[in-house]
Amino acid sequence: RCALHVVGDRKACIAAGGFLGEFAAGVQDDTTLRDPARLCESAAEVRVAELLDEIKLWYAPQHQVGRHRLDFLVVTPFGKRWDVEVDGRGHRTDSAIMQDEARDATIAKADFRILRIDARRLFRDEGSVRDALRRLA
């Protein structure tokens, strides 16, 4: 219920017009979603996007949920929704930690699970981050 996968010729559907054409015109080309260099805000986010691609989990970077933007919305094959956050040095202060905790509580109420990845850990021990991402499914 969390994802719809449509397989077909988008250009042919647009050319057909009607409801199908409107639907096809409103769908983003998946290749624009998978360009981490364009959508991600840091080198750490680009690397997480590459790991998600490697693991073959569906994701949408910089996804808006209410007034919050998720670094990555990840939807597992079983429909679990995850907010995967990549925390850089700006998230290490006491006030930032408190803001993150309040934000996480709001996101959790919207039926998301949350995984926070420390950017330093990603670059020091990528294997443990890869394992954590694999466990999302």
Side-chain angles (χ1 to χ4, degrees):
R1 294 182 355 197
C2 293
L4 171 66
H5 300 274
V6 179
V7 178
D9 185 336
R10 183 171 173 252
K11 290 178 185 174
C13 291
I14 292 171
F19 291 118
L20 182 61
E22 288 178 35
F23 175 75
V27 174
Q28 284 185 313
D29 181 2
D30 194 41
T31 59
T32 62
L33 290 176
R34 301 299 179 175
D35 183 2
R38 189 177 72 79
L39 296 173
C40 294
E41 296 180 337
S42 69
E45 286 184 16
V46 170
R47 187 62 192 133
V48 168
E50 292 167 351
L51 291 172
L52 289 167
D53 283 335
E54 177 185 312
I55 297 166
K56 300 194 183 328
L57 281 172
W58 184 91
Y59 67 92
Q62 306 306 319
H63 183 78
Q64 198 72 33
V65 173
R67 63 187 181 105
H68 300 288
R69 188 175 64 195
L70 314 182
D71 287 345
F72 295 95
L73 163 63
V74 177
V75 180
T76 71
F78 297 105
K80 292 180 188 171
R81 297 183 312 164
W82 285 86
D83 168 15
V84 176
E85 293 296 314
V86 182
D87 295 340
R89 76 176 53 130
H91 291 265
R92 296 181 193 133
T93 67
D94 289 340
S95 64
I97 290 168
M98 288 175 47
Q99 288 175 345
D100 285 345
E101 288 173 351
R103 178 194 176 283
D104 289 352
T106 301
I107 295 297
K109 285 180 186 173
D111 200 29
F112 287 86
R113 296 171 186 199
I114 299 150
L115 173 65
R116 289 196 165 272
I117 298 170
D118 185 302
R120 293 176 300 180
R121 178 177 162 220
L122 172 65
F123 293 117
R124 276 196 323 254
D125 185 12
E126 185 177 291
S128 70
V129 172
R130 181 184 289 109
D131 291 343
L133 291 171
R134 280 191 181 119
R135 286 191 297 271
L136 297 184

